[in-house]
mmCIF file of all heavy atoms in Angstrom:
data_model
loop_
_atom_site.group_PDB
_atom_site.id
_atom_site.type_symbol
_atom_site.label_atom_id
_atom_site.label_comp_id
_atom_site.label_asym_id
_atom_site.label_seq_id
_atom_site.Cartn_x
_atom_site.Cartn_y
_atom_site.Cartn_z
ATOM 1 N N PHE E 257 15.351 -12.268 35.335
ATOM 2 C CA PHE E 257 15.591 -11.751 34.001
ATOM 3 C C PHE E 257 16.638 -10.640 34.001
ATOM 4 O O PHE E 257 16.833 -9.958 35.006
ATOM 5 C CB PHE E 257 14.283 -11.199 33.414
ATOM 6 C CG PHE E 257 13.126 -12.161 33.505
ATOM 7 C CD1 PHE E 257 12.205 -12.075 34.542
ATOM 8 C CD2 PHE E 257 12.968 -13.168 32.562
ATOM 9 C CE1 PHE E 257 11.140 -12.958 34.634
ATOM 10 C CE2 PHE E 257 11.904 -14.052 32.645
ATOM 11 C CZ PHE E 257 10.995 -13.955 33.676
ATOM 12 N N THR E 258 17.286 -10.457 32.844
ATOM 13 C CA THR E 258 18.184 -9.316 32.661
ATOM 14 C C THR E 258 17.335 -8.087 32.327
ATOM 15 O O THR E 258 16.115 -8.182 32.186
ATOM 16 C CB THR E 258 19.171 -9.577 31.517
ATOM 17 O OG1 THR E 258 18.467 -9.546 30.261
ATOM 18 C CG2 THR E 258 19.855 -10.944 31.666
ATOM 19 N N ASP E 259 17.991 -6.950 32.182
ATOM 20 C CA ASP E 259 17.248 -5.724 31.857
ATOM 21 C C ASP E 259 17.152 -5.475 30.352
ATOM 22 O O ASP E 259 16.702 -4.413 29.913
ATOM 23 C CB ASP E 259 17.867 -4.510 32.554
ATOM 24 C CG ASP E 259 19.324 -4.282 32.152
ATOM 25 O OD1 ASP E 259 19.849 -5.058 31.309
ATOM 26 O OD2 ASP E 259 19.945 -3.357 32.689
ATOM 27 N N ARG E 260 17.550 -6.443 29.533
ATOM 28 C CA ARG E 260 17.463 -6.308 28.086
ATOM 29 C C ARG E 260 15.996 -6.292 27.648
ATOM 30 O O ARG E 260 15.232 -7.175 28.016
ATOM 31 C CB ARG E 260 18.189 -7.476 27.416
ATOM 32 C CG ARG E 260 18.113 -7.498 25.897
ATOM 33 C CD ARG E 260 18.784 -8.750 25.364
ATOM 34 N NE ARG E 260 18.522 -8.953 23.937
ATOM 35 C CZ ARG E 260 18.837 -10.066 23.278
ATOM 36 N NH1 ARG E 260 19.421 -11.064 23.940
ATOM 37 N NH2 ARG E 260 18.561 -10.179 21.991
ATOM 38 N N PRO E 261 15.581 -5.306 26.881
ATOM 39 C CA PRO E 261 14.170 -5.240 26.457
ATOM 40 C C PRO E 261 13.845 -6.269 25.385
ATOM 41 O O PRO E 261 14.733 -6.782 24.693
ATOM 42 C CB PRO E 261 14.033 -3.816 25.911
ATOM 43 C CG PRO E 261 15.409 -3.458 25.450
ATOM 44 C CD PRO E 261 16.362 -4.137 26.401
ATOM 45 N N ILE E 262 12.569 -6.559 25.243
ATOM 46 C CA ILE E 262 12.073 -7.444 24.189
ATOM 47 C C ILE E 262 11.456 -6.567 23.109
ATOM 48 O O ILE E 262 10.660 -5.670 23.403
ATOM 49 C CB ILE E 262 11.012 -8.416 24.727
ATOM 50 C CG1 ILE E 262 11.579 -9.212 25.907
ATOM 51 C CG2 ILE E 262 10.530 -9.357 23.637
ATOM 52 C CD1 ILE E 262 10.534 -10.041 26.627
ATOM 53 N N SER E 263 11.804 -6.820 21.867
ATOM 54 C CA SER E 263 11.292 -5.968 20.780
ATOM 55 C C SER E 263 9.795 -6.152 20.594
ATOM 56 O O SER E 263 9.230 -7.210 20.887
ATOM 57 C CB SER E 263 12.017 -6.291 19.468
ATOM 58 O OG SER E 263 11.588 -7.544 18.966
ATOM 59 N N LYS E 264 9.161 -5.118 20.081
ATOM 60 C CA LYS E 264 7.725 -5.186 19.792
ATOM 61 C C LYS E 264 7.431 -6.270 18.763
ATOM 62 O O LYS E 264 6.418 -6.974 18.857
ATOM 63 C CB LYS E 264 7.205 -3.839 19.292
ATOM 64 C CG LYS E 264 5.688 -3.839 19.019
ATOM 65 C CD LYS E 264 5.207 -2.505 18.492
ATOM 66 C CE LYS E 264 3.692 -2.503 18.290
ATOM 67 N NZ LYS E 264 3.262 -3.553 17.321
ATOM 68 N N ASP E 265 8.308 -6.420 17.769
ATOM 69 C CA ASP E 265 8.098 -7.448 16.755
ATOM 70 C C ASP E 265 8.045 -8.837 17.384
ATOM 71 O O ASP E 265 7.213 -9.664 17.007
ATOM 72 C CB ASP E 265 9.212 -7.394 15.699
ATOM 73 C CG ASP E 265 9.089 -6.197 14.775
ATOM 74 O OD1 ASP E 265 8.012 -5.563 14.762
ATOM 75 O OD2 ASP E 265 10.069 -5.890 14.079
ATOM 76 N N THR E 266 8.931 -9.088 18.331
ATOM 77 C CA THR E 266 8.952 -10.390 19.008
ATOM 78 C C THR E 266 7.685 -10.585 19.825
ATOM 79 O O THR E 266 7.066 -11.653 19.793
ATOM 80 C CB THR E 266 10.194 -10.513 19.904
ATOM 81 O OG1 THR E 266 11.377 -10.416 19.092
ATOM 82 C CG2 THR E 266 10.205 -11.844 20.643
ATOM 83 N N LEU E 267 7.279 -9.553 20.560
ATOM 84 C CA LEU E 267 6.064 -9.652 21.358
ATOM 85 C C LEU E 267 4.845 -9.889 20.467
ATOM 86 O O LEU E 267 3.944 -10.668 20.819
ATOM 87 C CB LEU E 267 5.872 -8.384 22.188
ATOM 88 C CG LEU E 267 6.889 -8.190 23.327
ATOM 89 C CD1 LEU E 267 6.783 -6.780 23.893
ATOM 90 C CD2 LEU E 267 6.685 -9.226 24.423
ATOM 91 N N ASP E 268 4.829 -9.246 19.297
ATOM 92 C CA ASP E 268 3.716 -9.444 18.368
ATOM 93 C C ASP E 268 3.659 -10.899 17.904
ATOM 94 O O ASP E 268 2.568 -11.485 17.780
ATOM 95 C CB ASP E 268 3.850 -8.523 17.147
ATOM 96 C CG ASP E 268 3.499 -7.072 17.465
ATOM 97 O OD1 ASP E 268 2.894 -6.822 18.535
ATOM 98 O OD2 ASP E 268 3.838 -6.194 16.649
ATOM 99 N N ILE E 269 4.818 -11.500 17.639
ATOM 100 C CA ILE E 269 4.822 -12.891 17.190
ATOM 101 C C ILE E 269 4.377 -13.824 18.316
ATOM 102 O O ILE E 269 3.681 -14.815 18.070
ATOM 103 C CB ILE E 269 6.208 -13.286 16.652
ATOM 104 C CG1 ILE E 269 6.459 -12.561 15.327
ATOM 105 C CG2 ILE E 269 6.305 -14.796 16.461
ATOM 106 C CD1 ILE E 269 7.791 -12.854 14.696
ATOM 107 N N LEU E 270 4.734 -13.500 19.561
ATOM 108 C CA LEU E 270 4.270 -14.319 20.676
ATOM 109 C C LEU E 270 2.746 -14.310 20.755
ATOM 110 O O LEU E 270 2.111 -15.353 20.978
ATOM 111 C CB LEU E 270 4.860 -13.820 21.997
ATOM 112 C CG LEU E 270 6.383 -13.863 22.157
ATOM 113 C CD1 LEU E 270 6.761 -13.511 23.595
ATOM 114 C CD2 LEU E 270 6.957 -15.203 21.758
ATOM 115 N N VAL E 271 2.156 -13.138 20.566
ATOM 116 C CA VAL E 271 0.694 -13.049 20.606
ATOM 117 C C VAL E 271 0.078 -13.781 19.406
ATOM 118 O O VAL E 271 -0.949 -14.463 19.541
ATOM 119 C CB VAL E 271 0.234 -11.578 20.651
ATOM 120 C CG1 VAL E 271 -1.273 -11.489 20.564
ATOM 121 C CG2 VAL E 271 0.716 -10.916 21.938
ATOM 122 N N LYS E 272 0.716 -13.687 18.239
ATOM 123 C CA LYS E 272 0.234 -14.434 17.079
ATOM 124 C C LYS E 272 0.262 -15.934 17.349
ATOM 125 O O LYS E 272 -0.650 -16.670 16.939
ATOM 126 C CB LYS E 272 1.072 -14.100 15.845
ATOM 127 C CG LYS E 272 0.838 -12.710 15.282
ATOM 128 C CD LYS E 272 1.726 -12.455 14.067
ATOM 129 C CE LYS E 272 1.534 -11.040 13.531
ATOM 130 N NZ LYS E 272 2.417 -10.780 12.370
ATOM 131 N N ALA E 273 1.311 -16.384 18.033
ATOM 132 C CA ALA E 273 1.394 -17.797 18.401
ATOM 133 C C ALA E 273 0.241 -18.171 19.321
ATOM 134 O O ALA E 273 -0.354 -19.245 19.194
ATOM 135 C CB ALA E 273 2.738 -18.093 19.078
ATOM 136 N N GLY E 274 -0.094 -17.276 20.254
ATOM 137 C CA GLY E 274 -1.229 -17.526 21.132
ATOM 138 C C GLY E 274 -2.518 -17.675 20.357
ATOM 139 O O GLY E 274 -3.332 -18.568 20.632
ATOM 140 N N MET E 275 -2.713 -16.830 19.355
ATOM 141 C CA MET E 275 -3.947 -16.858 18.572
ATOM 142 C C MET E 275 -4.020 -18.049 17.615
ATOM 143 O O MET E 275 -5.068 -18.293 17.021
ATOM 144 C CB MET E 275 -4.099 -15.556 17.784
ATOM 145 C CG MET E 275 -4.337 -14.340 18.650
ATOM 146 S SD MET E 275 -4.675 -12.887 17.638
ATOM 147 C CE MET E 275 -4.511 -11.582 18.855
ATOM 148 N N ALA E 276 -2.909 -18.785 17.477
ATOM 149 C CA ALA E 276 -2.911 -19.985 16.642
ATOM 150 C C ALA E 276 -3.400 -21.210 17.408
ATOM 151 O O ALA E 276 -3.468 -22.300 16.842
ATOM 152 C CB ALA E 276 -1.509 -20.236 16.084
ATOM 153 N N ALA E 277 -3.749 -21.052 18.669
ATOM 154 C CA ALA E 277 -4.178 -22.175 19.509
ATOM 155 C C ALA E 277 -5.532 -22.721 19.063
ATOM 156 O O ALA E 277 -6.318 -22.014 18.430
ATOM 157 C CB ALA E 277 -4.267 -21.721 20.968
ATOM 158 N N PRO E 278 -5.804 -23.981 19.407
ATOM 159 C CA PRO E 278 -7.141 -24.522 19.122
ATOM 160 C C PRO E 278 -8.195 -23.818 19.956
ATOM 161 O O PRO E 278 -7.900 -23.299 21.038
ATOM 162 C CB PRO E 278 -7.014 -26.007 19.523
ATOM 163 C CG PRO E 278 -5.885 -26.052 20.481
ATOM 164 C CD PRO E 278 -4.944 -24.972 20.069
ATOM 165 N N SER E 279 -9.422 -23.812 19.442
ATOM 166 C CA SER E 279 -10.506 -23.103 20.121
ATOM 167 C C SER E 279 -11.819 -23.833 19.877
ATOM 168 O O SER E 279 -12.134 -24.169 18.730
ATOM 169 C CB SER E 279 -10.586 -21.662 19.594
ATOM 170 O OG SER E 279 -11.745 -21.012 20.063
ATOM 171 N N ALA E 280 -12.580 -24.072 20.929
ATOM 172 C CA ALA E 280 -13.865 -24.766 20.805
ATOM 173 C C ALA E 280 -14.802 -23.996 19.879
ATOM 174 O O ALA E 280 -15.044 -22.799 20.082
ATOM 175 C CB ALA E 280 -14.505 -24.936 22.187
ATOM 176 N N VAL E 281 -15.303 -24.684 18.869
ATOM 177 C CA VAL E 281 -16.192 -24.107 17.858
ATOM 178 C C VAL E 281 -15.548 -22.867 17.211
ATOM 179 O O VAL E 281 -16.241 -21.991 16.710
ATOM 180 C CB VAL E 281 -17.575 -23.775 18.453
ATOM 181 C CG1 VAL E 281 -18.622 -23.614 17.351
ATOM 182 C CG2 VAL E 281 -18.048 -24.860 19.415
ATOM 183 N N ASN E 282 -14.243 -22.771 17.296
ATOM 184 C CA ASN E 282 -13.478 -21.648 16.742
ATOM 185 C C ASN E 282 -13.985 -20.294 17.233
ATOM 186 O O ASN E 282 -13.969 -19.296 16.505
ATOM 187 C CB ASN E 282 -13.495 -21.681 15.204
ATOM 188 C CG ASN E 282 -12.396 -20.823 14.588
ATOM 189 O OD1 ASN E 282 -11.321 -20.663 15.167
ATOM 190 N ND2 ASN E 282 -12.665 -20.269 13.426
ATOM 191 N N LYS E 283 -14.418 -20.239 18.476
ATOM 192 C CA LYS E 283 -14.916 -18.984 19.033
ATOM 193 C C LYS E 283 -13.794 -17.981 19.310
ATOM 194 O O LYS E 283 -14.030 -16.774 19.361
ATOM 195 C CB LYS E 283 -15.702 -19.257 20.320
ATOM 196 C CG LYS E 283 -17.075 -19.859 20.103
ATOM 197 C CD LYS E 283 -18.000 -18.867 19.414
ATOM 198 C CE LYS E 283 -19.418 -19.367 19.346
ATOM 199 N NZ LYS E 283 -20.335 -18.387 18.717
ATOM 200 N N GLN E 284 -12.580 -18.495 19.547
ATOM 201 C CA GLN E 284 -11.427 -17.627 19.824
ATOM 202 C C GLN E 284 -11.770 -16.581 20.899
ATOM 203 O O GLN E 284 -11.633 -15.365 20.670
ATOM 204 C CB GLN E 284 -10.965 -16.942 18.542
ATOM 205 C CG GLN E 284 -10.621 -17.910 17.420
ATOM 206 C CD GLN E 284 -10.238 -17.221 16.137
ATOM 207 O OE1 GLN E 284 -9.577 -16.184 16.147
ATOM 208 N NE2 GLN E 284 -10.648 -17.792 15.007
ATOM 209 N N PRO E 285 -12.184 -17.022 22.087
ATOM 210 C CA PRO E 285 -12.658 -16.078 23.100
ATOM 211 C C PRO E 285 -11.522 -15.474 23.922
ATOM 212 O O PRO E 285 -11.620 -15.345 25.139
ATOM 213 C CB PRO E 285 -13.535 -16.978 23.972
ATOM 214 C CG PRO E 285 -12.822 -18.284 23.963
ATOM 215 C CD PRO E 285 -12.266 -18.417 22.565
ATOM 216 N N TRP E 286 -10.460 -15.106 23.247
ATOM 217 C CA TRP E 286 -9.299 -14.595 23.964
ATOM 218 C C TRP E 286 -9.060 -13.118 23.675
ATOM 219 O O TRP E 286 -9.483 -12.558 22.683
ATOM 220 C CB TRP E 286 -8.056 -15.417 23.625
ATOM 221 C CG TRP E 286 -7.907 -15.778 22.179
ATOM 222 C CD1 TRP E 286 -7.887 -14.940 21.092
ATOM 223 C CD2 TRP E 286 -7.785 -17.099 21.643
ATOM 224 N NE1 TRP E 286 -7.743 -15.656 19.924
ATOM 225 C CE2 TRP E 286 -7.674 -16.980 20.225
ATOM 226 C CE3 TRP E 286 -7.731 -18.372 22.209
ATOM 227 C CZ2 TRP E 286 -7.521 -18.090 19.389
ATOM 228 C CZ3 TRP E 286 -7.589 -19.471 21.363
ATOM 229 C CH2 TRP E 286 -7.492 -19.327 19.984
ATOM 230 N N ALA E 287 -8.344 -12.507 24.593
ATOM 231 C CA ALA E 287 -7.865 -11.134 24.439
ATOM 232 C C ALA E 287 -6.522 -11.071 25.149
ATOM 233 O O ALA E 287 -6.314 -11.773 26.149
ATOM 234 C CB ALA E 287 -8.844 -10.136 25.046
ATOM 235 N N PHE E 288 -5.609 -10.268 24.646
ATOM 236 C CA PHE E 288 -4.258 -10.225 25.183
ATOM 237 C C PHE E 288 -3.878 -8.786 25.505
ATOM 238 O O PHE E 288 -4.069 -7.894 24.687
ATOM 239 C CB PHE E 288 -3.266 -10.800 24.174
ATOM 240 C CG PHE E 288 -3.605 -12.193 23.718
ATOM 241 C CD1 PHE E 288 -4.456 -12.392 22.626
ATOM 242 C CD2 PHE E 288 -3.104 -13.303 24.369
ATOM 243 C CE1 PHE E 288 -4.788 -13.666 22.197
ATOM 244 C CE2 PHE E 288 -3.428 -14.588 23.948
ATOM 245 C CZ PHE E 288 -4.274 -14.772 22.865
ATOM 246 N N VAL E 289 -3.339 -8.579 26.687
ATOM 247 C CA VAL E 289 -2.821 -7.271 27.067
ATOM 248 C C VAL E 289 -1.308 -7.398 27.179
ATOM 249 O O VAL E 289 -0.800 -8.112 28.048
ATOM 250 C CB VAL E 289 -3.422 -6.779 28.399
ATOM 251 C CG1 VAL E 289 -2.875 -5.383 28.732
ATOM 252 C CG2 VAL E 289 -4.939 -6.767 28.344
ATOM 253 N N VAL E 290 -0.590 -6.728 26.279
ATOM 254 C CA VAL E 290 0.872 -6.766 26.268
ATOM 255 C C VAL E 290 1.389 -5.577 27.069
ATOM 256 O O VAL E 290 1.013 -4.428 26.801
ATOM 257 C CB VAL E 290 1.413 -6.717 24.824
ATOM 258 C CG1 VAL E 290 2.944 -6.778 24.818
ATOM 259 C CG2 VAL E 290 0.828 -7.864 23.991
ATOM 260 N N ILE E 291 2.230 -5.853 28.041
ATOM 261 C CA ILE E 291 2.706 -4.804 28.948
ATOM 262 C C ILE E 291 4.220 -4.671 28.829
ATOM 263 O O ILE E 291 4.948 -5.651 28.972
ATOM 264 C CB ILE E 291 2.341 -5.139 30.405
ATOM 265 C CG1 ILE E 291 0.825 -5.371 30.528
ATOM 266 C CG2 ILE E 291 2.799 -4.031 31.351
ATOM 267 C CD1 ILE E 291 0.437 -6.068 31.806
ATOM 268 N N THR E 292 4.686 -3.456 28.582
ATOM 269 C CA THR E 292 6.123 -3.189 28.525
ATOM 270 C C THR E 292 6.528 -2.035 29.444
ATOM 271 O O THR E 292 7.717 -1.843 29.685
ATOM 272 C CB THR E 292 6.553 -2.845 27.081
ATOM 273 O OG1 THR E 292 5.775 -1.739 26.604
ATOM 274 C CG2 THR E 292 6.345 -4.043 26.157
ATOM 275 N N GLU E 293 5.570 -1.263 29.922
ATOM 276 C CA GLU E 293 5.891 -0.119 30.780
ATOM 277 C C GLU E 293 6.170 -0.586 32.206
ATOM 278 O O GLU E 293 5.369 -1.315 32.800
ATOM 279 C CB GLU E 293 4.738 0.882 30.782
ATOM 280 C CG GLU E 293 4.497 1.541 29.436
ATOM 281 C CD GLU E 293 3.347 2.531 29.475
ATOM 282 O OE1 GLU E 293 2.738 2.699 30.558
ATOM 283 O OE2 GLU E 293 3.054 3.126 28.420
ATOM 284 N N LYS E 294 7.302 -0.153 32.740
ATOM 285 C CA LYS E 294 7.730 -0.571 34.065
ATOM 286 C C LYS E 294 6.704 -0.213 35.133
ATOM 287 O O LYS E 294 6.462 -0.987 36.079
ATOM 288 C CB LYS E 294 9.085 0.089 34.385
ATOM 289 C CG LYS E 294 9.666 -0.285 35.735
ATOM 290 C CD LYS E 294 9.992 -1.766 35.814
ATOM 291 C CE LYS E 294 10.702 -2.085 37.128
ATOM 292 N NZ LYS E 294 10.869 -3.554 37.337
ATOM 293 N N GLU E 295 6.090 0.936 35.006
ATOM 294 C CA GLU E 295 5.098 1.378 35.989
ATOM 295 C C GLU E 295 3.910 0.409 36.055
ATOM 296 O O GLU E 295 3.425 0.085 37.147
ATOM 297 C CB GLU E 295 4.608 2.787 35.631
ATOM 298 C CG GLU E 295 3.586 3.344 36.614
ATOM 299 C CD GLU E 295 3.112 4.724 36.223
ATOM 300 O OE1 GLU E 295 3.705 5.327 35.307
ATOM 301 O OE2 GLU E 295 2.137 5.200 36.836
ATOM 302 N N VAL E 296 3.476 -0.057 34.892
ATOM 303 C CA VAL E 296 2.352 -0.995 34.866
ATOM 304 C C VAL E 296 2.782 -2.350 35.395
ATOM 305 O O VAL E 296 2.046 -3.006 36.145
ATOM 306 C CB VAL E 296 1.777 -1.124 33.441
ATOM 307 C CG1 VAL E 296 0.586 -2.080 33.426
ATOM 308 C CG2 VAL E 296 1.363 0.240 32.912
ATOM 309 N N LEU E 297 3.985 -2.787 35.035
ATOM 310 C CA LEU E 297 4.502 -4.055 35.548
ATOM 311 C C LEU E 297 4.587 -4.024 37.075
ATOM 312 O O LEU E 297 4.215 -4.989 37.756
ATOM 313 C CB LEU E 297 5.881 -4.354 34.956
ATOM 314 C CG LEU E 297 5.923 -4.668 33.459
ATOM 315 C CD1 LEU E 297 7.366 -4.693 32.959
ATOM 316 C CD2 LEU E 297 5.237 -5.991 33.154
ATOM 317 N N ASP E 298 5.057 -2.908 37.620
ATOM 318 C CA ASP E 298 5.161 -2.778 39.083
ATOM 319 C C ASP E 298 3.785 -2.779 39.736
ATOM 320 O O ASP E 298 3.590 -3.398 40.795
ATOM 321 C CB ASP E 298 5.909 -1.491 39.443
ATOM 322 C CG ASP E 298 7.404 -1.576 39.138
ATOM 323 O OD1 ASP E 298 7.909 -2.696 38.947
ATOM 324 O OD2 ASP E 298 8.050 -0.512 39.075
ATOM 325 N N SER E 299 2.829 -2.103 39.123
ATOM 326 C CA SER E 299 1.468 -2.076 39.678
ATOM 327 C C SER E 299 0.835 -3.461 39.641
ATOM 328 O O SER E 299 0.136 -3.868 40.580
ATOM 329 C CB SER E 299 0.598 -1.089 38.888
ATOM 330 O OG SER E 299 1.073 0.236 39.033
ATOM 331 N N LEU E 300 1.115 -4.184 38.581
ATOM 332 C CA LEU E 300 0.587 -5.536 38.464
ATOM 333 C C LEU E 300 1.213 -6.449 39.516
ATOM 334 O O LEU E 300 0.538 -7.316 40.092
ATOM 335 C CB LEU E 300 0.862 -6.073 37.061
ATOM 336 C CG LEU E 300 0.054 -7.269 36.582
ATOM 337 C CD1 LEU E 300 -1.446 -6.989 36.652
ATOM 338 C CD2 LEU E 300 0.459 -7.633 35.152
ATOM 339 N N ARG E 301 2.485 -6.242 39.788
ATOM 340 C CA ARG E 301 3.166 -7.059 40.809
ATOM 341 C C ARG E 301 2.567 -6.820 42.192
ATOM 342 O O ARG E 301 2.503 -7.747 43.018
ATOM 343 C CB ARG E 301 4.660 -6.716 40.810
ATOM 344 C CG ARG E 301 5.483 -7.532 41.810
ATOM 345 C CD ARG E 301 6.961 -7.445 41.485
ATOM 346 N NE ARG E 301 7.465 -6.090 41.561
ATOM 347 C CZ ARG E 301 8.097 -5.581 42.609
ATOM 348 N NH1 ARG E 301 8.281 -6.300 43.701
ATOM 349 N NH2 ARG E 301 8.537 -4.342 42.583
#
């Protein structure tokens, strides 16, 4: 990847797209952690 950041608005729409997925009995048993801080990305790596 390049070092160009992704806007919060774009990331929010990606998560909205995730929440539009089908779900058994519509339980929607998902949770999303959006990470943009380099320190957290490095720790996760």
Side-chain angles (χ1 to χ4, degrees):
F257 309 97
T258 71
D259 60 1
R260 177 184 169 190
I262 304 171
S263 72
K264 182 181 183 300
D265 287 346
T266 299
L267 291 168
D268 285 345
I269 290 180
L270 298 188
V271 175
K272 288 179 182 179
M275 292 186 193
S279 171
V281 199
N282 198 31
K283 286 293 187 178
Q284 304 177 38
W286 42 55
F288 305 88
V289 182
V290 181
I291 305 164
T292 56
E293 294 180 0
K294 181 64 174 172
E295 181 181 350
V296 181
L297 292 170
D298 288 344
S299 296
L300 198 56
R301 182 163 62 98

